[in-house]
Amino acid sequence: MGNTSSLRMEIKHKSVPERSKKQLNHFIDVKFSGCAGNNGIRYETNNLDFKVRTDGTIYAAHQVQIPSKQTMFMVTAWDHQALERWETMVRLLVGEKSQHSGHKVKAFKTNSNGLRRQKRDWVIPPINVPENSRGPFPQQLVRIRSDKDSEIHIRYSITGVGADQPPMEVFSIDPVSGRMYVTRPMDREERASYHLRAHAVDMNGNKVENPIDLYIYVIDMNDNRPEFINQVYNGSVDEGSKPGTYVMTVTANDADDSTTANGMVRYRIVTQTPQSPSQNMFTINSETGDIVTVAAGLDREKVQQYTVIVQATDMEGNLNYGLSNTATAIIMVTDVNDNPPEFTLTAYPGEVPENRVEVVVANLTVVDRDQPHSPNWNAVYRIISGDPSGHFTIRTDPVTNEGMVTVVKAVDYEMNRAFMLTVMVSNQAPLASGIQMSFQSTAGVTISVMDVNEAPYFPTNHKLIRLEEGVPMGTALMTFSAVDPDRFMQQAVRYSKLSDPANWLNINATNGQITTAAVLDRESVYIKNNVYEATFLAADNGIPPASGTGSLQIYLIDINDNAPELLPKETQICEKPNPNVINITAADADIDPNVGPFVFELPSVPSAVRKNWTITRLNGDYAQLSLRIMYLEAGVYEVPIIVTDSGNPPLYKTSVIKVKVCPCDENGDCTTIGAVAAAGLGTGAIVAILICIIILLTMVLLFVVWMKRREKERHTKQLLIDPEDDVRDNILKYDEEGGGEEDQDYDLSQLQQPETMDHVLNKAAGVRRVDERPIGAEPQYPIRPVIPHPGDIGDFINEGLRAADNDPTAPPYDSLLVFDYEGSGSTAGSVSSLNSSSSGDQDYDYLNDWGPRFKKLADMYGGGEED
């Protein structure tokens, strides 16, 4: 093809009319001229919205919506005879609506040596620069010249983005010759166009020409592959879908110019895996990337997933010149309910004990090829026949999908020995259209009922009978028998009492006849609301035995068997008549009509009763008791009163009421002294009692004071005897029998603190004083030998020794040493020294003066009168 020549374009002042929403229809009239007579010329545009007729007229191919105030596209003219090509840019401006149908655009053929200039004007057509040019650089684009360059020296310059604005120095111009250059390769994807201004000034910097606009367009080259938005696309389609069903859309973008073939992407399916049931199950729209089904036969139960490799190619899908890229589309075949569940068996056996509920008696198994654990797979069971009473239900196991036949209402072996059920199964979701339910969706279930030993029961439990109280012992009341439901077992029933609070009843163990064991009393504490309740047990002799209970309620009808009781039992009244009277009534354990109205009367014997007292009836339940005489001495009087009820026959009882007659104050109340006097004491006796009480209280007070003083003196005394104190008082304290001065003539120095410790160290073990500390390693409480001396004093000493030896908490001076040590060199000596004396010159006669007990000791150790 010939040279590519630049086209100079002259645009007149007319503009494209503006319509609603900036839409253009077939009204644009653009003419190309100067193209060798237009013979054999073919026109093309890079905008599919516009086309060029053979006469050079540009028109809109269809209704066009222009998004801005202008649109630009390129028109190429081909001369196949001369093998030449011309290009120009058409810019359509959207202006106000005009009467003109369009505007003319004239194209002039030029050569590469320069630009055709009109007189006194310089016009530069748009400059097209292909991207990714290999150079060499700088590469001349155009030469700018002014008509005045022959008259004066002119300096040329350019301004704008790409010249003196970033990116800097992409374009340059020779200031003298006006030749403009591009300094490096262009990238349309980085910037598609540049708008520069050329300036012409003289040597003094004065403007020679008006600035001219330079439009530089980067011509797109196919240097970018289509890129898919996602490398893997996921989609789904229902199984059994018809051909043409939409599946998914894949999208690839090409960074090249989308208005040219470089950016026009086309799609195609490269491979499909698996290729079943057909190798072409899907197709793709080459322009939109929509994937749809193209063949029937999608079956999830056979193929659950397809993997499709999709290729995107630019250059309108030309595999020879276009660039390509691939992505993966994973298509899941979703399940639909196209497989009904089928029973694995036609009949299922089962058995159940009678009287049991919530028991699984049979498991029904089914097969369903749909997606497990989905509504298309979940089984729903129904009993369609064989269970009119609703004894069974079928629940679905969520894990295994089995049907569990469960007893929800107890079955009775005596009523039904077996059940023949017809069950049906379906899915939770309805079947897909066109799928018919198979005859295998029904099955039979045979359930055998097992007989068990059932407890006897009383047909009328809480049996109620009415009976008058007071029936004699041994009276037959009724036969309270039970029924054994096991009609096919030969069993005997035995009866016994389970609860009989008052032990009033007996039951025959064989036939259940109930008789009275005591007199039934309605007024007993075991009666509640006139009803006595007893519970009986009926047990059979089965294996294992079973028993049932029954309650018998006896409503006791009241009879007049209780005489009325007078109320109150005690009261008081003033000794002189006054308006105050005694209100009396009666209490009867019976109920109406065996109670009031009551009759109150005084007995005729003794005669003093009616002489002193009188009764006035108020109503059927109350009466008033008052004094008949003007004065009655204070005291307590027992007044008998006869009370009769209204029973048939009536009962009466003589009750005694204790009336305290006492002096009263002005308010009619008994005084304190009067109340005491009413108890039977005179005024003198009352005064004497008060005096005795005062004396007694005084004595108690003196005794308490004396005891406190003794306690205080006891605390002031020391436990150990002070050597400087006179110990005679202590000796006299323990020897109060007397004896005179002779009994007190002792060497008291031995009872005092010894001056040295020699005699202590030499003493035998176990001998201590009350004020000594133990010396040496001897035991604190040694065991002492018991001295078997006869006599009262010996027993007394032995008991003291045993008490000291056996009491580990007793201090050493508490009991033992008091009797065991009188001091070193004592003239009295110890009891043990009395026994060990070898001579008879010791005088024990003074013991005779101590009493009969010491006289016996004097006779034993002193030899009696003979010695």
Side-chain angles (χ1 to χ4, degrees), residues 396-463:
T396 303
D397 189 322
V399 178
T400 63
N401 214 26
E402 293 181 353
M404 301 178 293
V405 182
T406 308
V407 182
V408 294
K409 182 180 178 182
V411 296
D412 189 356
Y413 176 82
E414 286 71 28
M415 298 293 294
N416 295 289
R417 299 188 181 185
F419 291 87
M420 300 293 296
L421 307 181
T422 301
V423 297
M424 179 175 144
V425 64
S426 59
N427 287 126
Q428 186 177 351
L431 286 174
S433 59
I435 306 299
Q436 299 296 328
M437 181 67 74
S438 171
F439 69 94
Q440 295 179 342
S441 60
T442 59
V445 181
T446 303
I447 301 175
S448 300
V449 181
M450 297 181 296
D451 190 18
V452 297
N453 185 24
E454 298 177 79
Y457 67 93
F458 291 88
T460 305
N461 205 349
H462 296 286
K463 177 70 175 178

Side-chain angles (χ1 to χ4, degrees), residues 766-828:
V767 180
R768 291 287 182 271
R769 282 177 49 179
V770 295
D771 55 348
E772 285 185 333
R773 296 178 58 189
I775 303 299
E778 63 180 357
Q780 186 174 358
Y781 306 109
I783 303 300
R784 299 172 179 81
V786 178
I787 303 174
H789 294 313
D792 295 341
I793 188 63
D795 295 338
F796 178 75
I797 295 174
N798 292 337
E799 290 176 1
L801 290 175
R802 282 194 297 270
D805 293 339
N806 296 330
D807 187 5
T809 63
Y813 51 79
D814 185 27
S815 60
L816 171 64
L817 297 181
V818 169
F819 303 103
D820 190 50
Y821 178 64
E822 291 81 10
S824 178
S826 174
T827 57

